[in-house]
C-alpha cells in the first residue's frame, strides 16, 4: 500500500519541450494550507499541475469520516480523471501547506494529450498504478492490523519525506500530519491510531509531539510494517497489544 506515486512523476517524465508546452497552456495558482483545490463530486474538469508543496487526496465515507487515498507533490497532476471522462470529481484534493500549481482546462489538457501520444501513455500508466494501489489497499484493510498499517505508513513517510533529526539515526517526518490524518490514511479510528502510537512510544520506536513524529528505531518499525514482532534483545519478543 502506498500514499505516493511510484517512479518518476508525470511532469518529470515529459520531455523539457513538452513540459514547457503544457505549462504554457495554463495559469499559475497558489493555494494556502488547508485550502481545497478540488472538491469531491464537483463537475469542474480542469487539472492542476503541481509545481511545489504537498496535497492530500481524500474521500468522504458513509460514516461521515474521511479516508486519505494519497499524497501528491511537485511534478504530479491531479484532477486528470474528471478531465478524461468529464464526470464528477472522485475525490477532494486539499493543500498540505502552501502549494504552487498551474491550472489547465480539461479541454486544453485533452488536446495536449491527443497531440502527444507519449504523454497519454504516461497518464494511462499513472491511472493503472493507482488502480493497482487501490487493490492492495483494500486487501490491507481487510487483513492487516491497525499497528501494521500504521507502521507501514510511517515507514513510507520517512522514506519519502524524512530528514535526520541530529540525534543518531533518528528521522523526523517533515509532513505535518496530525493523528486524525494518520488515522484517515490507514482507514482506522483516531482512538485506534492513538493506541498504536502509544505502543510504539512505549517500545521506544517513535516520539510524538504537536504535528511532529520522530522515528527512533527504523529497524523495529520496518519489522512491524512487515507483520513481524520485535526481535529479541534482553528478553523475549514483545507482543502486540490486543486489538491493535
Amino acid at each position: 500500500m502506498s500514499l505516493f506515486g511510484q517512479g518518476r512523476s508525470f511532469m518529470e517524465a515529459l520531455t523539457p519541450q513538452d513540459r514547457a508546452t503544457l505549462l504554457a497552456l495554463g495559469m499559475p495558482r497558489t493555494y494556502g494550507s488547508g485550502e481545497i483545490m478540488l472538491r469531491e463530486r464537483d463537475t469542474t474538469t480542469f487539472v492542476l499541475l503541481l509545481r511545489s508543496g504537498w496535497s492530500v487526496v481524500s474521500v468522504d465515507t458513509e460514516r461521515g469520516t474521511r479516508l486519505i487515498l494519497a499524497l501528491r507533490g511537485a511534478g504530479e497532476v491531479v484532477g486528470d480523471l474528471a478531465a478524461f471522462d468529464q464526470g464528477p470529481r472522485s475525490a477532494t484534493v486539499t493543500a498540505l501547506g502552501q502549494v504552487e500549481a498551474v491550472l489547465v482546462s480539461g479541454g486544453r489538457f485533452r488536446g495536449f494529450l491527443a497531440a502527444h501520444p507519449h504523454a497519454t501513455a504516461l497518464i494511462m500508466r499513472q491511472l493503472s498504478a493507482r488502480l493497482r494501489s487501490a487493490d492492495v489497499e483494500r486487501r490491507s484493510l481487510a487483513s492487516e492490523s491497525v499497528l501494521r498499517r500504521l507502521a507501514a505508513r510511517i515507514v513510507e513517510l520517512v522514506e519519502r519525506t524524512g530528514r535526520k533529526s541530529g540525534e543518531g539515526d533518528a528521522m523526523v517526518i517533515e509532513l505535518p500530519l496530525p493523528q486524525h490524518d494518520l488515522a484517515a490514511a490507514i482507514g482506522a479510528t483516531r482512538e485506534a491510531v492513538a493506541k498504536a502510537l502509544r505502543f510504539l512510544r512505549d517500545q521506544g520506536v517513535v516520539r510524538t509531539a504537536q504535528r511532529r513524529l520522530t522515528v527512533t528505531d527504523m529497524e523495529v518499525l520496518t519489522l512491524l510494517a512487515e507483520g513481524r514482532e520485535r526481535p529479541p534483545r534482553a528478553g523475549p519478543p514483545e507482543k502486540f497489544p490486543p486489538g491493535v
Side-chain angles (χ1 to χ4, degrees):
M1 58 190 216
S2 177
L3 284 177
F4 299 89
Q6 302 300 308
R8 288 195 299 169
S9 68
F10 173 72
M11 297 294 288
E12 288 175 329
L14 292 176
T15 66
Q17 182 178 355
D18 286 349
R19 190 182 311 124
T21 298
L22 178 57
L23 290 171
L25 296 176
M27 64 181 79
R29 288 288 307 271
T30 299
Y31 297 90
S33 180
E35 185 174 354
I36 291 179
M37 303 159 63
L38 303 173
R39 190 182 297 275
E40 186 178 2
R41 291 184 290 275
D42 272 1
T43 56
T44 54
T45 60
F46 63 84
V47 302
L48 292 171
L49 314 174
L50 306 183
R51 304 301 305 276
S52 67
W54 288 96
S55 60
V56 178
V57 182
S58 64
V59 294
D60 294 329
T61 69
E62 294 180 355
R63 294 179 296 175
T65 58
R66 184 174 70 140
L67 178 64
I68 291 179
L69 303 178
L71 296 172
R72 300 289 178 232
E76 299 190 82
V77 55
V78 293
D80 44 313
L81 187 58
F84 270 124
D85 63 16
Q86 302 178 63
R89 299 285 188 193
S90 60
T92 294
V93 180
T94 308
L96 185 62
Q98 182 170 298
V99 174
E100 302 289 340
V102 172
L103 186 154
V104 178
S105 71
R108 287 187 172 187
F109 187 66
R110 290 191 298 274
F112 172 82
L113 294 179
H116 300 82
H118 174 62
T120 302
L122 291 174
I123 283 290
M124 296 306 295
R125 191 179 307 157
Q126 175 178 280
L127 292 174
S128 175
R130 290 176 185 175
L131 285 173
R132 290 181 183 275
S133 180
D135 289 341
V136 173
E137 184 70 13
R138 283 196 293 270
R139 184 165 59 246
S140 169
L141 288 171
S143 62
E144 295 177 3
S145 68
V146 171
L147 180 62
R148 182 177 178 181
R149 299 201 309 270
L150 178 63
R153 281 290 189 247
I154 296 174
V155 167
E156 185 180 27
L157 288 167
V158 169
E159 291 175 345
R160 294 297 294 267
T161 73
R163 64 172 175 81
K164 290 282 189 180
S165 70
E167 306 173 30
D169 294 329
M171 298 290 291
V172 175
I173 293 174
E174 292 282 72
L175 294 178
L177 289 173
Q179 282 191 18
H180 63 267
D181 275 353
L182 285 174
I186 64 170
T189 65
R190 184 172 181 174
E191 292 74 18
V193 166
K195 184 177 181 180
L197 282 173
R198 184 165 59 250
F199 174 77
L200 293 175
R201 284 196 303 269
D202 291 345
Q203 298 304 311
V205 178
V206 304
R207 292 199 308 269
T208 59
Q210 184 69 23
R211 290 180 176 266
R212 180 185 178 94
L213 193 149
T214 302
V215 176
T216 52
D217 195 330
M218 193 68 181
E219 178 187 0
V220 171
L221 187 68
T222 302
L223 290 174
L224 291 171
E226 295 170 351
R228 292 188 279 169
E229 294 181 351
R230 179 172 181 160
R233 290 182 179 174
E238 299 284 351
K239 298 294 183 181
F240 300 158
V244 175

